[in-house]
């Protein structure tokens, strides 16, 4: 190779390296001292009401109540009779274990309105159905107001690496 070719490569490489454009997430041009966290700040609506209605979340079609500790020989009719006293049931799922054929131990009851679901939870939570005390609560709840991390910033919930103890 001649010296001219090497000079051309060096000149082109230096100019191309300076003009290299990176594409994709994280390669936006940021000002000095600006971090990624500064770009991703969102406004939050702070609420002082932390009542049950603020904690429960609606599913796509209605309000779903999760009933746990259901007797293994319970039937849909028995649960429907108990929960129908509090409002019109849109849907009732009583899942069965494929291997044994018995109820898995929980049921999902769907109501149209929040008031009906809340009345069922208040009326049937910690009551006996077929000799077993069942627990009722909303199947979907909103995360705490602190965000999805729950205030773990800066804390370490696991032990340090073996070389750094």
């Amino acid at each position: 190779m001649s010296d001219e070719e090497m000079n051309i490569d060096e000149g082109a490489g230096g100019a191309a390296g300076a003009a290299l454009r990176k594409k994709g997430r994280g390669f936006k041009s940021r000002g000095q001292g600006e971090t990624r966290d500064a770009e991703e700040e969102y406004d939050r609506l702070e609420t002082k009401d932390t009542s049950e209605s603020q904690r429960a979340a609606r599913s796509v079609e209605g309000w779903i109540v999760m009933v746990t500790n259901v007797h293994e020989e319970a039937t849909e009719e028995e649960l429907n009779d108990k929960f129908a006293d509090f409002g019109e049931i849109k849907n009732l799922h009583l899942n069965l274990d494929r291997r044994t054929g018995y109820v898995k131990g929980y049921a999902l009851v769907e109501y149209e309105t929040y008031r009906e679901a809340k009345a069922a939870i208040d009326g049937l939570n910690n009551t006996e159905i077929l000799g077993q005390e069942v627990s009722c609560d909303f199947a979907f709840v909103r995360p705490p107001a602190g965000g999805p991390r729950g205030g773990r910033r800066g804390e370490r919930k696991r032990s340090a690496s073996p070389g750094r103890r």
Side-chain angles (χ1 to χ4, degrees):
M1 251 191 227
S2 69
D3 290 334
E4 288 180 14
E5 288 178 13
M6 289 186 72
N7 288 339
I8 291 173
D9 288 344
E10 288 175 9
L20 181 63
R21 299 188 73 189
K22 296 180 181 179
K23 292 183 179 180
R25 185 183 297 177
F27 291 112
K28 290 182 182 176
S29 61
R30 294 186 181 112
Q32 289 291 357
E34 192 175 334
T35 63
R36 183 181 188 122
D37 293 336
E39 291 178 8
E40 296 181 4
E41 287 223 10
Y42 299 104
D43 292 332
R44 280 193 194 272
L45 179 61
E46 297 297 327
T47 59
K48 293 180 183 177
D49 184 18
T50 58
S51 67
E52 187 76 21
S53 65
Q54 294 298 319
R55 191 176 71 86
R58 187 179 195 275
S59 74
V60 175
E61 295 184 8
W63 297 88
I64 298 180
V65 176
M66 182 157 188
V67 186
T68 56
N69 200 26
V70 177
H71 193 273
E72 63 183 11
E73 294 180 356
T75 62
E76 285 190 10
E77 293 100 28
E78 292 167 339
L79 288 176
N80 199 357
D81 290 343
K82 291 280 188 180
F83 283 89
D85 294 341
F86 301 99
E88 183 182 348
I89 297 174
K90 281 182 67 174
N91 201 353
L92 187 133
H93 280 281
L94 189 61
N95 293 333
L96 302 178
D97 188 351
R98 280 188 236 155
R99 189 169 42 101
T100 64
Y102 289 114
V103 174
K104 282 192 170 184
Y106 68 93
L108 300 169
V109 183
E110 185 174 352
Y111 289 99
E112 180 69 37
T113 65
Y114 172 80
R115 288 184 184 166
E116 293 172 342
K118 182 67 176 153
I121 290 171
D122 293 341
L124 292 176
N125 192 25
N126 299 325
T127 60
E128 280 195 13
I129 297 177
L130 293 177
Q132 273 190 257
E133 187 174 300
V134 296
S135 299
C136 303
D137 199 6
F138 285 104
F140 299 109
V141 294
R142 291 191 181 94
R149 293 184 183 203
R152 284 182 32 211
R153 193 170 293 241
E155 293 180 29
R156 188 170 179 108
K157 296 286 185 185
R158 53 193 169 107
S159 62
S161 299
R164 298 184 183 188
R165 288 185 182 179

